[in-house]
Amino acid sequence: MSSMADETVALAEDSRTARRAACAAVEEFNADYCAVLDDGDLMDWPDFFTEDAFYNITSRENFDHGRPVGLVYCEGRGMLRDRALAIARTSMFGPRYLRHYLSNTRVTGIEPDGTVCATVNYMLIETLAELPEGRLHQAGRMIDRFRPQPDGGLLLSSRIAIYDTLLVPNALVLPV
Amino acid sequence: MHRDGEAPAFFCLDAAGRVAAVIEFGDPALLRLGRRLIASGQPVDPARLGDPDIELSLIEDDDMKMLPIEKRFTWPASGLDRVPDWVYTSREIYDREIERIFHGPTWNYVGLAAEVPEAGDYIRTNVGPTPVVMVRDHEGGINVFENRCSHRAAEFCRELRGNAEEFVCPYHQWSYDLKGNLAGVPFRRGVNGEGGMGPDFNPENHGVRKLKVTQRNGAVFASFSEEVECFEDYMGEEMLTDFDTVFSGRKLKVLGHYRHTLMGNWKLYPENLKDPYHATLLHTFLVTFGLLVAGNKSAMIVDPRGRHSTMASAKSDGATVSAENKAEMRAYRDGMVLEDPRLMTFFEEFDSPWSVTMQVVWPGLIVQREMNTLGVRQIVPNGPNEFTMVWTMFGYEDDDEEMTRHRLRQGNLMGPAGFLGLEDNEAIKFVQDGMLNSTGGEHLVALDPEVPAGTSTTLISEAAIRAMYRHWRQEMGL
């Protein structure tokens, strides 16, 4: 009985070494994530999330005051897919490039079930045909939870993007 | 007359020295000014006109400054079915709007009482472009005053929200109480009998400018005008009914804010919500999922004075769209289904025939009831070509957790990243771009000519926009 328990409850270790390894995995994950949003197929974006994932983009103003509203507020991969489909197939907006920069990755903890808690800063640069020099669209941080998968990879079970840039220029078209 | 410069231009003058025609090569701004010189019908100095070092706008200013505004901005002879570009692009018109509309006898939304529940709670907000503070005092009243120190004009309140016993201007520490009265002036009597304010200085005369304030079931409005009618008369019975559906007296729970800048004239936003025609054409999402399609039960209701309005519709099943209507709507996408249909669930919680109402409370408030996602949008103009929109999303205090989450999920429809919201923002930008990058002209708002201006029973109508401009022209004296 006790040996069974030892096998099934292999508690993840939260050590400096484990965090370094997790940090490398998270950075790799985020680079792939940005590549899909910047240059890939938006319909692949929901595949970075678990089935029950939570995703929210909100201002620091809201976050600091415990106000739950989000520019984008999704419960579950289904809602993420609906958003990807809506943007790709139904939304009207002017042509643009959006490029994501994620940096300053910090693993803040590894939970016993292996969930990696991490934060990362982000910048979103928007370039429009009529604004070819580009502009900062959002700057902020993400508070993430990654769940390890049987294949050794990670999926996001929660991503909360909190932007410092209080005023959104016109519209936020793509996810961050 | 030939004018050199980066983009050369030719001006044809008549015998009286008035500009009769302009030919330009690549500078739309020059042509726009030229058109206004033609419209002014005033003689100009040909030598100055031909000098590329003299700004053409200065010539225009010099020549036109003597003319009253009504002579310089004349409405198209055709009437309300045309709206000239200068309504949206002129700085002079904008300044007059601030004076006559936002600082005139109007009620301007400033916030929700639920944002300042306790004594000393305050938020920074605006009346038109003008910064004000909304604060609850110790008697429970809500006061609104200008965020401008009466000493050196500093915008003294810097935090978006907070709690304070008094407001102290950081520059010279003049302090104001929660009603906006001047409470303290450091070294008012000077030091060692020297300096300080003169003996006739009376602090009572130097408070910050206080606005008239009214509340309706938790929504707070302010006015620079002492003469403004009471809020109930301002709204009228019909508009008040729609307003009270959302603000019924049920206690509100604030869920958060969105703030964004739109690159268009502020009036394009109320117009967008007085333009039911666009809703079925621009918003594919709305149409595909049956929220609003041509043929739905709907109404575009305008108050008798033409300033407030409600765009209302009842949700229908997408399957009922006729083949003929589908063909008219390029936006329609057959066969699209949501993986998570909770987004479009409508819990009937209001005593109203409508599942959606978008109400414009003139001049700067939109009350949104998009099924179960509720919010107000406050317009803060920043000059003729840009405005900021502040959204406050809310539910009710007695919502359970699942209802709150439902409102938040449904919030994906609206806001700066909303499926519908982002399209309106883009469309408004395109309209302003069209005016700024061309040589000037007028808009055509002629749909549904059987209703000259006012309430229409069809979505394919611009009668509500015409009603708004009938009112606007009266207020502006143009």
Side-chain angles (χ1 to χ4, degrees):
Chain A
M1 192 65 194
S2 68
S3 66
M4 279 280 289
D6 286 342
E7 263 178 46
T8 52
V9 192
L11 296 183
E13 187 195 3
D14 186 5
S15 64
R16 181 175 277 253
T17 317
R19 286 195 188 192
R20 271 202 195 117
C23 188
V26 166
E27 283 187 346
E28 188 180 39
F29 178 98
N30 281 334
D32 291 343
Y33 181 97
C34 293
V36 163
L37 287 179
D38 293 345
D39 304 304
D41 183 349
L42 185 60
M43 295 308 293
D44 293 336
W45 167 66
D47 296 337
F48 287 98
F49 294 85
T50 61
E51 191 61 42
D52 60 347
F54 177 70
Y55 177 81
N56 188 9
I57 306 174
T58 193
S59 66
R60 188 164 174 175
E61 173 192 16
N62 287 325
F63 187 82
D64 288 350
H65 290 90
R67 303 245 153 107
V69 85
L71 290 181
V72 177
Y73 185 98
C74 294
E75 288 175 359
R77 192 157 58 196
M79 286 189 81
L80 290 161
R81 285 216 186 90
D82 289 338
R83 175 159 282 269
L85 188 72
I87 296 167
R89 295 223 22 225
T90 75
S91 294
M92 187 291 291
F93 49 85
R96 72 196 61 206
Y97 302 128
L98 287 164
R99 197 155 288 276
H100 298 69
Y101 297 85
L102 271 60
S103 69
N104 304 37
T105 309
R106 289 176 67 224
V107 171
T108 53
I110 298 175
E111 296 181 353
D113 70 351
T115 295
V116 177
C117 305
T119 63
V120 60
N121 286 357
Y122 78 96
M123 271 199 324
L124 179 66
I125 305 289
E126 179 179 63
T127 308
L128 306 168
E130 66 273 26
L131 194 74
E133 66 274 30
R135 68 172 163 206
L136 178 69
H137 197 278
Q138 284 202 341
R141 74 183 197 275
M142 291 175 175
I143 299 178
D144 295 331
R145 292 172 63 79
F146 293 90
R147 194 177 297 156
Q149 299 301 301
D151 67 0
L154 294 173
L155 288 180
L156 278 164
S157 60
S158 173
R159 169 157 273 180
I160 303 171
I162 303 147
Y163 56 93
D164 301 336
T165 39
L166 190 63
L167 271 178
V168 176
N170 214 40
L172 176 67
V173 168
L174 284 185
V176 294
Chain B
M1 193 67 224
H2 172 234
R3 181 183 166 97
D4 273 324
E6 277 180 37
F10 295 90
F11 296 86
C12 310
L13 306 185
D14 66 11
R18 294 174 301 202
V19 179
V22 183
I23 306 162
E24 62 86 29
F25 296 89
D27 185 355
L30 207 62
L31 188 52
R32 259 201 306 277
L33 284 161
R35 283 176 82 125
R36 290 176 54 179
L37 288 173
I38 296 172
S40 78
Q42 293 299 301
V44 293
D45 176 358
R48 296 185 71 208
L49 201 58
D51 183 350
D53 294 329
I54 293 182
E55 280 269 332
L56 207 57
S57 60
L58 290 179
I59 297 175
E60 185 203 37
D61 283 354
D62 291 350
D63 287 342
M64 299 181 81
K65 156 181 314 171
M66 297 304 169
L67 285 176
I69 189 166
E70 316 82 74
K71 287 269 195 302
R72 282 175 286 133
F73 296 97
T74 52
W75 200 270
S78 164
L80 289 168
D81 61 354
R82 302 288 193 287
V83 182
D85 283 8
W86 49 256
V87 163
Y88 307 98
T89 56
S90 160
R91 178 78 208 193
E92 192 176 349
I93 293 294
Y94 170 83
D95 290 342
R96 194 173 171 97
E97 287 178 331
I98 303 310
E99 178 201 327
R100 295 201 166 204
I101 296 172
F102 290 100
H103 288 187
T106 51
W107 281 115
N108 297 270
Y109 171 84
V110 284
L112 298 176
E115 293 179 87
V116 291
E118 308 294 336
D121 285 350
Y122 67 86
I123 60 169
R124 261 176 86 166
T125 176
N126 298 76
V127 170
T130 309
V132 298
V133 179
M134 169 177 126
V135 58
R136 192 179 289 275
D137 62 30
H138 287 283
E139 288 75 50
I142 292 181
N143 307 309
V144 176
F145 43 78
E146 262 197 273
N147 189 359
R148 178 197 155 106
C149 183
S150 56
H151 176 215
R152 294 299 305 275
E155 208 174 313
F156 54 83
C157 174
R158 308 304 299 183
E159 298 287 336
L160 286 173
R161 60 178 56 77
N163 183 280
E165 272 307 307
E166 57 176 356
F167 293 94
V168 182
C169 178
Y171 198 0
H172 305 94
Q173 297 181 11
W174 284 36
S175 61
Y176 302 93
D177 67 16
L178 301 181
K179 294 178 174 12
N181 300 310
L182 181 58
V185 173
F187 301 113
R188 184 180 155 195
R189 315 266 178 224
V191 176
N192 300 331
E194 290 181 318
M197 282 292 184
D200 57 344
F201 177 77
N202 182 358
E204 276 176 36
N205 301 332
H206 296 276
V208 288
R209 184 160 177 194
K210 297 161 192 164
L211 280 74
K212 196 167 165 167
V213 179
T214 192
Q215 293 186 52
R216 177 89 184 170
N217 293 332
V220 186
F221 296 82
S223 184
F224 274 101
S225 163
E226 279 301 319
E227 281 77 48
V228 64
E229 63 211 298
C230 74
F231 184 73
E232 289 67 27
D233 290 347
Y234 182 73
M235 291 291 280
E237 199 183 327
E238 194 175 23
M239 286 295 125
L240 210 51
T241 304
D242 293 330
F243 186 87
D244 287 351
T245 303
V246 176
F247 294 99
S248 58
R250 258 172 100 184
K251 287 232 168 176
L252 304 179
K253 180 163 74 181
V254 177
L255 299 178
H257 304 277
Y258 311 134
R259 298 173 192 264
H260 63 142
T261 308
L262 288 92
M263 288 69 182
N265 182 269
W266 69 272
K267 295 186 293 303
L268 291 171
Y269 210 92
E271 278 180 51
N272 179 259
L273 294 168
K274 293 169 188 282
D275 164 19
Y277 180 50
H278 90 281
T280 65
L281 300 166
L282 171 64
H283 299 311
T284 309
F285 193 91
L286 200 66
V287 174
T288 303
F289 299 106
L291 256 181
L292 181 69
V293 291
N296 263 25
K297 184 167 165 329
S298 59
M300 184 69 244
I301 307 155
V302 177
D303 87 304
R305 294 187 47 190
R307 52 188 177 179
H308 317 304
S309 58
T310 303
M311 191 193 287
S313 62
K315 191 185 176 211
S316 80
D317 187 343
T320 61
V321 182
S322 75
E324 183 196 359
N325 282 346
K326 275 185 200 173
E328 287 285 332
M329 296 182 287
R330 283 161 194 271
Y332 197 82
R333 300 276 186 279
D334 247 330
M336 255 184 70
V337 285
L338 288 175
E339 202 166 309
D340 191 336
R342 289 181 298 176
L343 179 72
M344 301 299 274
T345 307
F346 176 43
F347 295 113
E348 295 209 19
E349 59 177 327
F350 301 105
D351 180 21
S352 163
W354 311 112
S355 48
V356 177
T357 55
M358 292 289 166
Q359 184 171 45
V360 174
V361 178
W362 180 259
L365 173 68
I366 289 91
V367 181
Q368 165 197 319
R369 176 165 74 86
E370 178 80 43
M371 297 188 287
N372 302 112
T373 185
L374 310 175
V376 287
R377 309 174 196 168
Q378 179 190 3
I379 292 170
V380 180
N382 315 322
N385 301 311
E386 188 187 291
F387 63 102
T388 295
M389 182 96 83
V390 182
W391 303 55
T392 304
M393 308 304 291
F394 55 84
Y396 298 105
E397 242 179 41
D398 55 7
D399 288 342
D400 60 19
E401 197 198 326
E402 179 46 33
M403 189 61 181
T404 298
R405 287 154 79 105
H406 174 61
R407 296 193 201 282
L408 293 168
R409 286 192 298 263
Q410 209 155 60
N412 281 296
L413 292 170
M414 290 297 173
F419 296 135
L420 315 180
L422 77 88
E423 295 177 321
D424 290 322
N425 305 341
E426 285 288 282
I428 284 170
K429 177 178 187 298
F430 295 173
V431 171
Q432 199 76 18
D433 283 350
M435 291 187 286
L436 290 177
N437 299 330
S438 67
T439 53
E442 55 197 31
H443 297 222
L444 180 66
V445 285
L447 285 172
D448 193 20
E450 283 180 21
V451 181
T455 297
S456 67
T457 50
T458 168
L459 292 179
I460 316 302
S461 176
E462 286 161 336
I465 296 177
R466 293 192 289 273
M468 181 179 121
Y469 279 105
R470 193 184 57 201
H471 177 70
W472 185 89
R473 290 180 63 188
Q474 278 167 9
E475 296 299 295
M476 294 287 285
L478 292 171

